[in-house]
Amino acid sequence: MKAEDIQRIAVVGAGLMGHGIAQEFALAGYQVQLHSRTRESLDKALDNIGSNVERLVLLGVLEPGAGEGLVGRIQTTTRLEEAAERADLVIESVYEDLQLKQKIFKELDDLCPPQAILASNTSSLMPSAFAAGIRGADRILVAHYVNPPYLVPLVELVPGQQTAPATLATLCELLEKIGKHPIVIHKEAPGFIANRLQMALLREALEIVRQDIASPQDVDAVLKTSIGRRWAVAGVFETLELAGWDLVESITSELLPHLGSGAEAPLLREKIARGELGVKSGAGFYQWTPEAADKLREKIAHALINIEKWQK
């Protein structure tokens, strides 16, 4: 199957990531079946999609009226068979529960047309875990989006040991066609690229706070006013090539022994035990109101849109 043969998309899971993925394909003109177990979550997803489109219009990404017809291209259902029976591509985006995802993929293997590509938006699980015991293992892979999926261009494509090269090539071509930036991971590895880098940075940020070297607010300020700005236009390898690896090596030999390297994050466990979960609980390392959370989301969206313009 070629990218041009894909006409109908199914998204399984209508939560944080799923509704944004469905929105993006629908805006690109595709017919989308959005599935969730409850009608309540589907109604919420449609509300979120409407709000997202309004925001994109206000930020100048979409022309006024661009969302017209969008609702007609997104059909919602609580029946997996209805979502899957005519799909050319299915993207599973339920929460990170391996047994649940395995169950869904086995059902999709029976319900979908035999040529349909089956992808998981998992952020950490391996595609081979979904392909075990499935007839169509050659059409299974991971397509890991980054939140918010309709603003961040990256999609990490992770083939399993049985994934057919044609499956990978077709999905890569399709994503490029709708304006995404797919990256193909060479082999299965927990966390792929984005989350490995993010969690390595998080581990050191937590250690800095735990050791009282600096406050969470100052850690964030350092990222926002220095290296975070630079990384938006030049990656870590590009940036350090400018400095020279001989200079970098002299810094790493002095610094690396002092960095956090543990497999645990005790500060996180303490925050969770106190119920300080971040925006969802109203407190974490910051205090949150719904208005403050919305303001940050708007700020991130605006910045991501501007960065996309700079990089073109």
Side-chain angles (χ1 to χ4, degrees):
M1 182 167 58
K2 304 290 186 181
E4 58 266 26
D5 298 324
I6 295 178
Q7 300 297 324
R8 293 173 296 276
I9 316 291
V11 179
V12 179
L16 179 68
M17 301 296 288
H19 81 271
I21 295 170
Q23 169 191 318
E24 194 164 48
F25 276 109
L27 282 172
Y30 289 89
Q31 295 295 319
V32 179
Q33 286 276 355
L34 181 58
H35 170 270
S36 183
R37 290 178 296 178
T38 68
R39 177 53 56 183
E40 180 183 9
S41 64
L42 290 170
D43 291 341
K44 183 179 179 181
L46 291 178
D47 288 342
N48 287 335
I49 289 170
S51 298
N52 294 342
V53 171
E54 288 178 9
R55 182 180 296 117
L56 293 175
V57 170
L58 288 173
L59 293 172
V61 177
L62 296 177
E63 295 292 330
E68 293 178 7
L70 186 65
V71 174
R73 289 194 293 273
I74 300 177
Q75 303 298 313
T76 60
T77 180
T78 57
R79 297 174 56 242
L80 185 61
E81 57 270 30
E82 184 177 352
E85 61 186 359
R86 299 178 63 219
D88 302 308
L89 166 66
V90 181
I91 298 179
E92 168 273 314
S93 190
V94 303
Y95 57 89
E96 295 289 271
D97 181 313
L98 177 58
Q99 290 185 333
L100 174 61
K101 289 177 183 285
Q102 287 175 328
K103 177 178 180 293
I104 289 171
F105 271 85
K106 286 180 180 178
E107 291 175 352
L108 291 173
D109 190 39
D110 292 330
L111 296 170
C112 289
Q115 77 280 5
I117 293 173
L118 308 180
S120 174
N121 180 43
T122 178
S123 59
S124 60
L125 300 172
M126 300 299 100
S128 57
F130 311 132
I134 288 182
R135 296 188 304 273
D138 61 329
R139 55 193 174 123
I140 291 176
L141 75 169
V142 162
H144 174 230
Y145 287 73
V146 177
N147 189 46
Y150 58 92
L151 288 176
V152 179
L154 174 71
V155 182
E156 294 179 305
L157 296 182
V158 190
Q161 295 177 358
Q162 296 175 278
T163 305
T167 298
L168 184 62
T170 296
L171 187 51
C172 192
E173 183 183 351
L174 176 69
L175 290 169
E176 288 175 343
K177 182 179 176 182
I178 67 169
K180 304 303 285 183
H181 191 137
I183 296 293
V184 177
I185 309 300
H186 294 172
K187 62 181 180 181
E188 294 182 325
F192 319 135
I193 299 174
N195 271 331
R196 288 175 80 100
L197 294 174
Q198 182 172 239
M199 291 303 108
L201 177 59
L202 173 62
R203 178 170 62 188
E204 190 56 36
L206 288 167
E207 275 299 289
I208 289 170
V209 174
R210 188 182 70 84
Q211 295 179 33
D212 198 26
I213 297 170
S215 69
Q217 292 74 19
D218 284 341
V219 171
D220 282 351
V222 167
L223 291 172
K224 290 187 290 185
T225 60
S226 64
I227 57 177
R229 295 188 183 192
R230 190 165 58 197
W231 284 340
V233 293
V236 62
F237 286 106
E238 289 176 312
T239 298
L240 296 180
E241 292 257 284
L242 291 173
W245 292 111
D246 51 342
L247 174 60
V248 174
E249 196 277 334
S250 69
I251 297 170
T252 58
S253 62
E254 174 65 29
L255 185 56
L256 288 181
H258 299 283
L259 300 185
S261 58
E264 302 291 335
L267 185 56
L268 274 189
R269 290 203 304 272
E270 292 170 14
K271 300 294 279 186
I272 293 168
R274 291 196 293 267
E276 298 172 359
L277 306 179
V279 168
K280 66 175 66 176
S281 66
F285 291 102
Y286 294 81
Q287 298 297 313
W288 294 101
T289 63
E291 294 76 18
D294 285 342
K295 184 176 180 180
L296 179 58
R297 292 187 186 101
E298 291 283 344
K299 185 178 180 180
I300 291 171
H302 194 270
L304 289 172
I305 290 163
N306 281 326
I307 290 168
E308 178 72 10
K309 293 176 182 176
W310 297 337
Q311 291 181 332
K312 286 183 177 178

